[in-house]
Amino acid sequence: MARINDVGGMQGFGALDTTDDSEPFHADWEARVFGLNRALIAQQVYNLDEFRDAVESMPPAEYLAASYYERWFHGIVALLERKGVIAAGELDG
């Protein structure tokens, strides 16, 4: 079964913004999420396949409403909870 991230052949998402954006991060928190993910993978807390699955398992409405690094953060939190590193809901604000 296809997940929401698998939009190949779908229509109705509007035009893609192909503007050349030279900035890798648009806010400091995005860089921290990137670094956190790299560190957790390097420490073998989870692997890249698990991370990708966690991101792609987001509920469709949340996935479409989230930015790129919001999706990453969701995946990280989901994996840390799943693996017992943090308690479920511990990071809820």
Side-chain angles (χ1 to χ4, degrees):
M1 180 173 176
R3 293 178 174 176
I4 191 62
N5 65 295
D6 184 13
V7 295
M10 292 179 126
Q11 296 182 16
F13 288 100
L16 293 176
D17 181 3
T18 58
T19 306
D20 184 22
D21 188 356
S22 62
E23 296 296 322
F25 307 109
H26 297 99
D28 289 343
W29 71 267
E30 293 177 341
R32 289 194 285 279
V33 167
F34 180 86
L36 180 60
N37 186 51
R38 297 271 315 243
L40 291 167
I41 290 172
Q43 291 296 311
Q44 300 179 347
V45 174
Y46 55 78
N47 64 43
L48 190 57
D49 291 331
E50 291 173 306
F51 172 69
R52 180 178 175 185
D53 180 66
V55 170
E56 293 175 358
S57 295
M58 287 179 71
E62 289 179 34
Y63 184 93
L64 292 174
S67 70
Y68 187 74
Y69 286 106
E70 286 172 334
R71 294 175 189 151
W72 277 41
F73 185 69
H74 171 89
I76 290 168
V77 171
L79 285 167
L80 293 178
E81 288 178 352
R82 188 178 308 158
K83 293 181 174 282
V85 175
I86 60 173
E90 185 174 335
L91 299 180
D92 292 348

Coordinates of all heavy atoms in Angstrom, one line a residue:
M1 N 0.8 -1.2 0.0 CA 0.0 0.0 0.0 C 0.9 1.2 0.0 O 1.8 1.3 0.7 CB -0.9 0.0 1.2 CG -1.8 1.2 1.3 SD -2.9 0.9 2.7 CE -3.7 2.5 2.6
A2 N 0.5 2.2 -0.8 CA 1.3 3.4 -0.9 C 1.1 4.3 0.3 O 0.0 4.3 0.8 CB 1.0 4.2 -2.2
R3 N 2.1 5.0 0.7 CA 2.0 6.0 1.8 C 1.9 7.4 1.2 O 2.1 7.6 0.0 CB 3.2 5.9 2.7 CG 3.3 4.6 3.4 CD 4.6 4.5 4.2 NE 4.6 3.4 5.1 CZ 5.6 3.1 5.8 NH1 6.7 3.8 5.9 NH2 5.6 2.0 6.6
I4 N 1.6 8.3 2.0 CA 1.3 9.7 1.5 C 2.6 10.3 0.8 O 2.4 11.1 -0.1 CB 0.8 10.6 2.7 CG1 0.3 12.0 2.1 CG2 1.9 10.8 3.7 CD1 -0.8 11.9 1.2
N5 N 3.8 9.9 1.2 CA 5.0 10.4 0.6 C 5.1 9.9 -0.8 O 5.9 10.5 -1.6 CB 6.2 10.1 1.4 CG 6.5 8.6 1.5 OD1 5.6 7.9 2.0 ND2 7.5 8.2 0.9
D6 N 4.5 8.8 -1.2 CA 4.6 8.3 -2.5 C 3.6 8.9 -3.4 O 2.5 8.4 -3.6 CB 4.4 6.7 -2.4 CG 4.6 6.0 -3.8 OD1 5.2 6.7 -4.7 OD2 4.3 4.9 -3.9
V7 N 3.9 10.1 -4.0 CA 2.9 10.8 -4.8 C 3.2 10.7 -6.3 O 2.6 11.5 -7.1 CB 2.9 12.3 -4.3 CG1 2.3 12.4 -2.9 CG2 4.2 12.9 -4.5
G8 N 4.0 9.8 -6.7 CA 4.3 9.6 -8.1 C 3.1 9.4 -8.9 O 2.2 8.6 -8.6
G9 N 2.9 10.2 -9.9 CA 1.7 10.1 -10.8 C 0.5 10.9 -10.3 O -0.5 11.0 -11.0
M10 N 0.5 11.3 -9.1 CA -0.6 12.1 -8.5 C -0.6 13.5 -9.0 O 0.4 14.1 -9.3 CB -0.6 12.1 -7.0 CG -0.8 10.8 -6.4 SD -0.8 10.9 -4.6 CE -2.3 10.2 -4.1
Q11 N -1.8 14.1 -9.1 CA -1.9 15.5 -9.5 C -2.6 16.3 -8.5 O -3.2 15.8 -7.5 CB -2.7 15.5 -10.8 CG -2.0 14.8 -12.0 CD -2.8 14.9 -13.3 OE1 -3.7 15.8 -13.4 NE2 -2.4 14.1 -14.2
G12 N -2.5 17.6 -8.6 CA -3.2 18.5 -7.7 C -2.4 19.1 -6.6 O -2.9 19.7 -5.7
F13 N -1.1 18.9 -6.7 CA -0.2 19.5 -5.6 C 0.4 20.8 -6.0 O 1.1 21.4 -5.3 CB 1.0 18.5 -5.3 CG 0.5 17.3 -4.6 CD1 0.3 16.1 -5.2 CD2 0.3 17.3 -3.2 CE1 -0.1 15.0 -4.5 CE2 -0.1 16.2 -2.5 CZ -0.3 15.0 -3.1
G14 N 0.0 21.3 -7.2 CA 0.5 22.6 -7.6 C 1.9 22.5 -8.2 O 2.5 21.5 -8.2
A15 N 2.4 23.7 -8.6 CA 3.7 23.8 -9.2 C 4.8 23.6 -8.2 O 4.6 24.0 -7.0 CB 3.9 25.1 -9.9
L16 N 5.9 23.0 -8.6 CA 7.1 22.9 -7.7 C 7.9 24.2 -7.7 O 8.1 24.8 -8.8 CB 8.0 21.8 -8.2 CG 7.5 20.4 -8.0 CD1 8.4 19.4 -8.6 CD2 7.2 20.0 -6.6
D17 N 8.4 24.6 -6.6 CA 9.2 25.8 -6.5 C 10.7 25.3 -6.8 O 11.3 24.6 -6.0 CB 9.2 26.4 -5.1 CG 10.0 27.6 -5.0 OD1 10.7 28.1 -6.0 OD2 10.1 28.2 -3.9
T18 N 11.2 25.7 -8.0 CA 12.5 25.3 -8.4 C 13.5 26.4 -8.2 O 14.6 26.3 -8.8 CB 12.5 24.8 -9.8 OG1 12.0 25.9 -10.7 CG2 11.6 23.6 -10.0
T19 N 13.2 27.4 -7.4 CA 14.1 28.4 -7.1 C 15.4 27.8 -6.4 O 15.3 27.0 -5.5 CB 13.5 29.5 -6.1 OG1 12.3 29.9 -6.6 CG2 14.5 30.6 -5.9
D20 N 16.6 28.2 -6.9 CA 17.8 27.8 -6.3 C 18.0 28.3 -4.9 O 18.1 29.6 -4.7 CB 19.0 28.1 -7.2 CG 20.3 27.5 -6.7 OD1 20.3 26.6 -5.9 OD2 21.4 28.1 -7.0
D21 N 17.9 27.5 -3.9 CA 18.0 27.9 -2.5 C 19.3 27.5 -2.0 O 19.5 26.3 -1.7 CB 16.9 27.4 -1.7 CG 16.8 27.9 -0.3 OD1 17.6 28.7 0.1 OD2 15.8 27.5 0.4
S22 N 20.3 28.4 -1.8 CA 21.6 28.0 -1.4 C 21.7 27.7 0.1 O 22.8 27.2 0.6 CB 22.6 29.1 -1.8 OG 22.3 30.3 -1.2
E23 N 20.7 28.1 0.9 CA 20.8 27.9 2.3 C 20.3 26.5 2.7 O 19.1 26.2 2.4 CB 19.9 28.9 3.1 CG 20.4 30.4 2.9 CD 21.8 30.6 3.5 OE1 22.1 30.0 4.6 OE2 22.6 31.3 2.9
P24 N 21.1 25.7 3.4 CA 20.6 24.3 3.7 C 19.6 24.3 4.8 O 18.8 23.4 4.9 CB 21.9 23.6 4.1 CG 22.8 24.7 4.6 CD 22.5 25.9 3.7
F25 N 19.6 25.3 5.7 CA 18.7 25.4 6.8 C 18.1 26.8 6.8 O 18.8 27.8 6.6 CB 19.4 25.1 8.1 CG 20.2 23.8 8.1 CD1 21.6 23.8 8.1 CD2 19.5 22.6 8.1 CE1 22.3 22.6 8.1 CE2 20.2 21.4 8.1 CZ 21.6 21.4 8.1
H26 N 16.9 26.9 7.2 CA 16.2 28.2 7.2 C 16.0 28.7 8.7 O 15.5 29.8 8.9 CB 14.9 28.2 6.5 CG 15.1 27.8 5.0 ND1 14.9 26.6 4.5 CD2 15.5 28.6 4.0 CE1 15.2 26.6 3.2 NE2 15.6 27.8 2.9
A27 N 16.3 27.9 9.6 CA 16.2 28.2 11.0 C 17.3 27.4 11.8 O 17.6 26.3 11.4 CB 14.8 28.0 11.6
D28 N 17.7 27.9 12.9 CA 18.7 27.1 13.7 C 18.2 25.8 14.1 O 19.0 24.8 14.2 CB 19.1 27.9 15.0 CG 19.9 29.2 14.6 OD1 20.5 29.2 13.5 OD2 20.0 30.1 15.5
W29 N 16.9 25.6 14.5 CA 16.4 24.4 14.9 C 16.5 23.3 13.8 O 16.7 22.1 14.2 CB 15.0 24.5 15.5 CG 13.9 24.7 14.4 CD1 13.4 25.9 13.9 CD2 13.2 23.7 13.6 NE1 12.5 25.7 12.9 CE2 12.4 24.4 12.7 CE3 13.3 22.3 13.6 CZ2 11.5 23.7 11.8 CZ3 12.5 21.7 12.7 CH2 11.6 22.3 11.8
E30 N 16.4 23.7 12.6 CA 16.6 22.7 11.5 C 18.0 22.1 11.5 O 18.1 20.9 11.3 CB 16.3 23.3 10.1 CG 14.8 23.8 10.0 CD 14.6 24.5 8.6 OE1 15.5 24.9 8.0 OE2 13.4 24.6 8.3
A31 N 19.0 22.9 11.7 CA 20.3 22.4 11.7 C 20.5 21.5 12.9 O 21.2 20.5 12.8 CB 21.3 23.6 11.8
R32 N 19.9 21.8 14.1 CA 20.0 20.9 15.2 C 19.3 19.6 15.0 O 19.8 18.5 15.4 CB 19.4 21.6 16.5 CG 20.3 22.8 16.9 CD 20.0 23.3 18.3 NE 18.8 24.1 18.4 CZ 18.8 25.4 18.1 NH1 19.8 26.0 17.7 NH2 17.6 26.1 18.2
V33 N 18.1 19.6 14.3 CA 17.5 18.3 14.0 C 18.3 17.5 13.1 O 18.5 16.3 13.3 CB 16.1 18.6 13.4 CG1 15.5 17.3 12.8 CG2 15.1 19.2 14.4
F34 N 19.0 18.1 12.1 CA 19.9 17.4 11.2 C 21.0 16.8 12.0 O 21.3 15.6 11.8 CB 20.4 18.4 10.2 CG 21.3 17.7 9.2 CD1 20.9 17.1 8.1 CD2 22.7 17.8 9.4 CE1 21.7 16.5 7.1 CE2 23.6 17.2 8.5 CZ 23.1 16.6 7.4
G35 N 21.6 17.6 12.9 CA 22.8 17.1 13.6 C 22.3 16.0 14.6 O 23.1 15.0 14.8
L36 N 21.2 16.1 15.2 CA 20.7 15.1 16.2 C 20.5 13.8 15.4 O 20.9 12.7 15.9 CB 19.4 15.6 16.8 CG 18.7 14.7 17.8 CD1 19.6 14.4 19.0 CD2 17.4 15.3 18.2
N37 N 19.9 13.9 14.3 CA 19.6 12.6 13.5 C 21.0 12.0 13.1 O 21.1 10.7 13.3 CB 18.8 13.0 12.2 CG 18.4 11.7 11.5 OD1 17.9 10.8 12.0 ND2 18.7 11.7 10.2
R38 N 21.9 12.7 12.7 CA 23.2 12.2 12.3 C 23.9 11.5 13.6 O 24.5 10.4 13.5 CB 24.2 13.3 11.8 CG 23.8 13.9 10.5 CD 24.3 13.2 9.3 NE 25.7 12.9 9.3 CZ 26.6 13.3 8.6 NH1 26.3 14.2 7.6 NH2 27.9 12.9 8.7
A39 N 23.8 12.2 14.7 CA 24.4 11.6 15.9 C 23.7 10.3 16.4 O 24.4 9.4 16.8 CB 24.3 12.7 17.1
L40 N 22.4 10.3 16.3 CA 21.7 9.1 16.7 C 21.9 7.9 15.8 O 22.0 6.8 16.3 CB 20.2 9.4 16.8 CG 19.8 10.4 18.0 CD1 18.3 10.9 17.8 CD2 19.9 9.7 19.3
I41 N 22.1 8.2 14.5 CA 22.4 7.1 13.6 C 23.8 6.6 13.9 O 24.1 5.4 13.9 CB 22.2 7.6 12.1 CG1 20.7 7.7 11.8 CG2 22.9 6.6 11.2 CD1 20.4 8.3 10.5
A42 N 24.8 7.6 14.1 CA 26.2 7.2 14.3 C 26.3 6.4 15.6 O 27.1 5.5 15.7 CB 27.0 8.5 14.4
Q43 N 25.5 6.7 16.6 CA 25.5 5.9 17.9 C 24.7 4.7 17.8 O 24.5 4.0 18.8 CB 25.0 6.8 19.0 CG 25.9 8.0 19.3 CD 27.3 7.4 19.9 OE1 27.3 6.6 20.8 NE2 28.3 8.0 19.3
Q44 N 24.1 4.4 16.6 CA 23.3 3.2 16.4 C 22.1 3.1 17.3 O 21.7 2.0 17.6 CB 24.2 1.9 16.5 CG 25.3 1.9 15.5 CD 26.3 0.7 15.6 OE1 26.2 0.0 16.5 NE2 27.1 0.6 14.6
V45 N 21.5 4.2 17.6 CA 20.2 4.2 18.3 C 19.2 3.7 17.4 O 18.3 3.0 17.8 CB 19.9 5.6 18.8 CG1 18.5 5.7 19.5 CG2 21.0 6.1 19.8
Y46 N 19.3 4.1 16.1 CA 18.4 3.6 15.0 C 19.2 3.7 13.8 O 20.3 4.3 13.7 CB 17.1 4.3 15.0 CG 17.1 5.8 14.8 CD1 17.4 6.4 13.6 CD2 16.9 6.6 15.9 CE1 17.5 7.8 13.4 CE2 17.0 8.0 15.8 CZ 17.2 8.6 14.5 OH 17.3 9.9 14.4
N47 N 18.7 3.1 12.7 CA 19.4 3.2 11.4 C 18.6 4.0 10.4 O 17.4 4.4 10.7 CB 19.8 1.8 10.9 CG 18.5 0.9 10.6 OD1 17.6 1.4 10.0 ND2 18.6 -0.3 10.9
L48 N 19.2 4.2 9.3 CA 18.6 5.1 8.3 C 17.2 4.5 7.8 O 16.3 5.3 7.5 CB 19.5 5.3 7.1 CG 19.1 6.4 6.1 CD1 18.9 7.7 6.8 CD2 20.2 6.5 5.0
D49 N 17.2 3.2 7.6 CA 15.9 2.6 7.2 C 14.8 2.8 8.2 O 13.6 3.1 7.8 CB 16.1 1.1 6.9 CG 17.0 0.8 5.7 OD1 17.0 1.7 4.8 OD2 17.6 -0.2 5.7
E50 N 15.1 2.6 9.5 CA 14.1 2.9 10.5 C 13.7 4.3 10.5 O 12.5 4.6 10.7 CB 14.7 2.5 11.9 CG 14.9 1.0 12.1 CD 15.7 0.8 13.4 OE1 16.7 1.3 13.6 OE2 15.1 -0.1 14.2
F51 N 14.6 5.2 10.3 CA 14.3 6.7 10.3 C 13.4 7.0 9.1 O 12.3 7.6 9.3 CB 15.6 7.5 10.2 CG 15.3 9.0 10.0 CD1 14.8 9.7 11.0 CD2 15.7 9.5 8.8 CE1 14.5 11.1 10.8 CE2 15.4 10.9 8.6 CZ 14.9 11.7 9.6
R52 N 13.7 6.5 8.0 CA 12.9 6.8 6.8 C 11.5 6.2 7.0 O 10.5 6.9 6.7 CB 13.5 6.1 5.6 CG 12.7 6.4 4.3 CD 13.4 5.8 3.1 NE 12.5 5.9 2.0 CZ 12.7 5.4 0.8 NH1 13.9 4.8 0.6 NH2 11.9 5.6 -0.2
D53 N 11.3 5.0 7.6 CA 10.0 4.4 7.8 C 9.2 5.2 8.8 O 8.0 5.4 8.6 CB 10.2 3.0 8.4 CG 8.9 2.3 8.6 OD1 8.1 2.1 7.7 OD2 8.6 2.1 9.8
A54 N 9.9 5.7 9.9 CA 9.2 6.6 10.9 C 8.7 7.9 10.2 O 7.5 8.3 10.5 CB 10.2 6.9 12.0
V55 N 9.5 8.5 9.4 CA 9.0 9.7 8.7 C 7.8 9.4 7.8 O 6.8 10.1 7.8 CB 10.2 10.4 7.9 CG1 9.6 11.5 7.0 CG2 11.2 10.9 8.9
E56 N 8.0 8.3 7.0 CA 6.9 8.0 6.0 C 5.7 7.4 6.7 O 4.6 7.3 6.0 CB 7.5 7.0 5.0 CG 8.6 7.7 4.2 CD 9.3 6.7 3.2 OE1 8.9 5.5 3.2 OE2 10.1 7.1 2.4
S57 N 5.7 7.1 8.0 CA 4.6 6.5 8.7 C 3.7 7.6 9.3 O 2.7 7.3 10.0 CB 5.0 5.6 9.8 OG 5.6 4.4 9.2
M58 N 4.1 8.9 9.1 CA 3.3 10.0 9.7 C 1.9 9.9 9.1 O 1.7 9.5 7.9 CB 3.9 11.3 9.3 CG 5.1 11.7 10.0 SD 5.8 13.3 9.5 CE 4.6 14.4 10.2
P59 N 0.9 10.3 9.9 CA -0.5 10.4 9.4 C -0.5 11.4 8.2 O 0.2 12.4 8.2 CB -1.3 11.0 10.5 CG -0.5 10.6 11.8 CD 0.9 10.6 11.3
P60 N -1.2 11.0 7.1 CA -1.2 11.8 5.9 C -1.4 13.3 6.1 O -0.6 14.1 5.5 CB -2.3 11.2 5.0 CG -2.3 9.8 5.5 CD -2.1 9.9 6.9
A61 N -2.4 13.7 6.8 CA -2.6 15.2 7.0 C -1.4 15.9 7.7 O -1.0 17.0 7.3 CB -3.9 15.4 7.8
E62 N -0.8 15.2 8.7 CA 0.3 15.8 9.4 C 1.5 15.9 8.4 O 2.3 16.8 8.4 CB 0.7 14.9 10.6 CG -0.3 15.1 11.7 CD 0.1 14.2 12.9 OE1 1.3 14.0 13.2 OE2 -0.8 13.7 13.6
Y63 N 1.7 14.8 7.6 CA 2.8 14.8 6.7 C 2.8 15.9 5.7 O 3.7 16.6 5.5 CB 2.8 13.4 5.9 CG 4.0 13.2 5.0 CD1 5.2 12.6 5.5 CD2 4.0 13.7 3.7 CE1 6.3 12.5 4.6 CE2 5.1 13.5 2.9 CZ 6.2 12.9 3.3 OH 7.3 12.8 2.5
L64 N 1.6 16.1 5.1 CA 1.4 17.2 4.1 C 1.5 18.6 4.7 O 1.9 19.5 4.1 CB 0.1 17.0 3.4 CG 0.0 15.8 2.5 CD1 -1.4 15.6 2.0 CD2 1.0 15.9 1.4
A65 N 1.2 18.7 6.0 CA 1.2 20.0 6.7 C 2.6 20.4 7.2 O 2.9 21.5 7.5 CB 0.2 20.1 7.8
A66 N 3.5 19.4 7.4 CA 4.8 19.6 8.0 C 5.8 20.0 7.0 O 5.8 19.6 5.8 CB 5.2 18.3 8.7
S67 N 6.8 20.8 7.5 CA 8.0 21.1 6.7 C 8.9 19.9 6.6 O 8.7 18.9 7.4 CB 8.7 22.3 7.2 OG 9.3 22.0 8.4
Y68 N 9.9 20.0 5.8 CA 10.9 18.9 5.7 C 11.5 18.5 7.0 O 11.5 17.3 7.4 CB 12.0 19.3 4.7 CG 13.0 18.3 4.4 CD1 12.6 17.2 3.5 CD2 14.3 18.3 4.9 CE1 13.6 16.3 3.1 CE2 15.2 17.3 4.5 CZ 14.8 16.3 3.7 OH 15.8 15.3 3.3
Y69 N 12.0 19.4 7.8 CA 12.7 19.1 9.1 C 11.6 18.9 10.2 O 12.0 18.2 11.2 CB 13.7 20.1 9.4 CG 14.9 20.0 8.6 CD1 15.2 20.9 7.6 CD2 15.8 18.9 8.7 CE1 16.3 20.7 6.8 CE2 16.9 18.7 7.9 CZ 17.2 19.7 6.9 OH 18.3 19.5 6.1
E70 N 10.4 19.3 10.0 CA 9.4 18.9 11.0 C 9.1 17.4 10.8 O 8.9 16.7 11.8 CB 8.1 19.7 10.8 CG 8.2 21.2 11.2 CD 7.0 22.0 10.8 OE1 6.3 21.7 9.8 OE2 6.7 23.0 11.5
R71 N 9.1 16.9 9.6 CA 9.0 15.5 9.4 C 10.1 14.7 10.0 O 9.9 13.7 10.6 CB 8.9 15.2 7.9 CG 7.6 15.8 7.2 CD 7.7 15.6 5.7 NE 6.6 16.3 5.1 CZ 6.6 16.8 3.9 NH1 7.6 16.6 3.1 NH2 5.5 17.4 3.4
W72 N 11.3 15.2 9.8 CA 12.5 14.6 10.4 C 12.3 14.5 12.0 O 12.6 13.5 12.6 CB 13.8 15.4 10.1 CG 14.4 15.1 8.8 CD1 13.7 14.9 7.6 CD2 15.8 15.0 8.5 NE1 14.6 14.7 6.6 CE2 15.9 14.7 7.1 CE3 16.9 15.1 9.3 CZ2 17.1 14.5 6.5 CZ3 18.1 14.9 8.7 CH2 18.2 14.7 7.3
F73 N 11.9 15.6 12.6 CA 11.8 15.7 14.0 C 10.7 14.7 14.5 O 10.9 14.0 15.5 CB 11.4 17.1 14.5 CG 11.4 17.2 16.0 CD1 12.6 17.1 16.8 CD2 10.2 17.4 16.7 CE1 12.5 17.2 18.1 CE2 10.2 17.5 18.0 CZ 11.3 17.4 18.8
H74 N 9.6 14.6 13.8 CA 8.6 13.6 14.1 C 9.2 12.2 14.0 O 8.9 11.4 14.9 CB 7.4 13.7 13.1 CG 6.4 12.6 13.2 ND1 5.4 12.7 14.1 CD2 6.4 11.4 12.7 CE1 4.7 11.6 14.0 NE2 5.3 10.8 13.2
G75 N 9.9 11.9 13.0 CA 10.5 10.6 12.9 C 11.5 10.3 14.0 O 11.5 9.2 14.6
I76 N 12.3 11.3 14.4 CA 13.3 11.1 15.5 C 12.5 10.8 16.8 O 12.8 9.8 17.5 CB 14.2 12.3 15.7 CG1 15.1 12.4 14.5 CG2 14.9 12.3 17.0 CD1 15.9 13.7 14.4
V77 N 11.5 11.6 17.1 CA 10.7 11.4 18.4 C 10.0 10.1 18.4 O 10.1 9.4 19.4 CB 9.7 12.6 18.5 CG1 8.8 12.3 19.7 CG2 10.5 13.9 18.8
A78 N 9.4 9.7 17.2 CA 8.7 8.4 17.2 C 9.7 7.3 17.4 O 9.4 6.3 18.2 CB 8.1 8.3 15.8
L79 N 10.9 7.3 16.9 CA 11.9 6.3 17.1 C 12.4 6.2 18.5 O 12.6 5.2 19.1 CB 13.0 6.4 16.1 CG 12.7 5.9 14.7 CD1 13.8 6.4 13.7 CD2 12.5 4.5 14.6
L80 N 12.7 7.4 19.1 CA 13.1 7.4 20.5 C 12.1 6.9 21.4 O 12.4 6.2 22.4 CB 13.6 8.9 20.9 CG 14.8 9.4 20.1 CD1 15.0 10.9 20.5 CD2 16.0 8.5 20.3
E81 N 10.8 7.2 21.2 CA 9.8 6.6 22.0 C 9.7 5.1 21.8 O 9.6 4.4 22.8 CB 8.4 7.3 21.7 CG 8.3 8.7 22.2 CD 7.0 9.4 21.8 OE1 6.2 8.9 21.0 OE2 6.8 10.5 22.3
R82 N 9.7 4.7 20.6 CA 9.6 3.3 20.2 C 10.7 2.4 20.9 O 10.5 1.3 21.3 CB 9.6 3.1 18.7 CG 9.3 1.7 18.2 CD 9.2 1.6 16.7 NE 8.4 2.7 16.1 CZ 8.5 3.1 14.9 NH1 9.5 2.6 14.1 NH2 7.7 4.0 14.4
K83 N 11.8 3.0 20.9 CA 13.0 2.3 21.5 C 13.2 2.5 23.0 O 14.2 2.0 23.5 CB 14.2 2.7 20.7 CG 14.2 2.2 19.2 CD 15.4 2.5 18.4 CE 15.3 1.9 17.1 NZ 15.6 0.5 17.1
G84 N 12.3 3.3 23.6 CA 12.4 3.4 25.0 C 13.4 4.4 25.5 O 13.7 4.5 26.7
V85 N 14.0 5.2 24.6 CA 15.0 6.2 25.0 C 14.3 7.4 25.7 O 14.8 7.9 26.7 CB 15.7 6.7 23.7 CG1 16.7 7.8 24.1 CG2 16.4 5.6 23.0
I86 N 13.1 7.7 25.3 CA 12.3 8.7 26.0 C 10.9 8.1 26.2 O 10.5 7.2 25.5 CB 12.2 10.0 25.2 CG1 11.5 9.8 23.9 CG2 13.5 10.7 25.1 CD1 11.2 11.1 23.1
A87 N 10.2 8.6 27.2 CA 8.8 8.1 27.5 C 7.9 8.7 26.4 O 8.1 9.8 25.9 CB 8.4 8.6 28.9
A88 N 6.8 8.0 26.1 CA 5.8 8.5 25.1 C 5.3 9.8 25.6 O 4.9 9.9 26.8 CB 4.7 7.5 25.0
G89 N 5.3 10.8 24.8 CA 4.7 12.1 25.1 C 5.7 13.0 25.9 O 5.4 14.1 26.2
E90 N 6.9 12.5 26.2 CA 7.8 13.3 27.0 C 8.2 14.6 26.4 O 8.4 15.6 27.1 CB 9.1 12.5 27.2 CG 10.1 13.1 28.2 CD 11.3 12.2 28.5 OE1 11.2 10.9 28.4 OE2 12.4 12.7 28.8
L91 N 8.2 14.7 25.1 CA 8.6 16.0 24.4 C 7.4 16.8 24.0 O 7.6 17.8 23.4 CB 9.5 15.7 23.2 CG 10.8 15.0 23.6 CD1 11.6 14.7 22.3 CD2 11.6 15.7 24.6
D92 N 6.2 16.3 24.4 CA 5.0 17.1 24.0 C 5.0 18.5 24.7 O 5.3 18.5 25.9 CB 3.7 16.4 24.3 CG 3.5 15.1 23.5 OD1 4.3 15.0 22.5 OD2 2.7 14.3 23.8
G93 N 4.8 19.5 24.0 CA 4.8 20.8 24.6 C 3.6 21.3 25.1 O 3.1 22.1 25.7

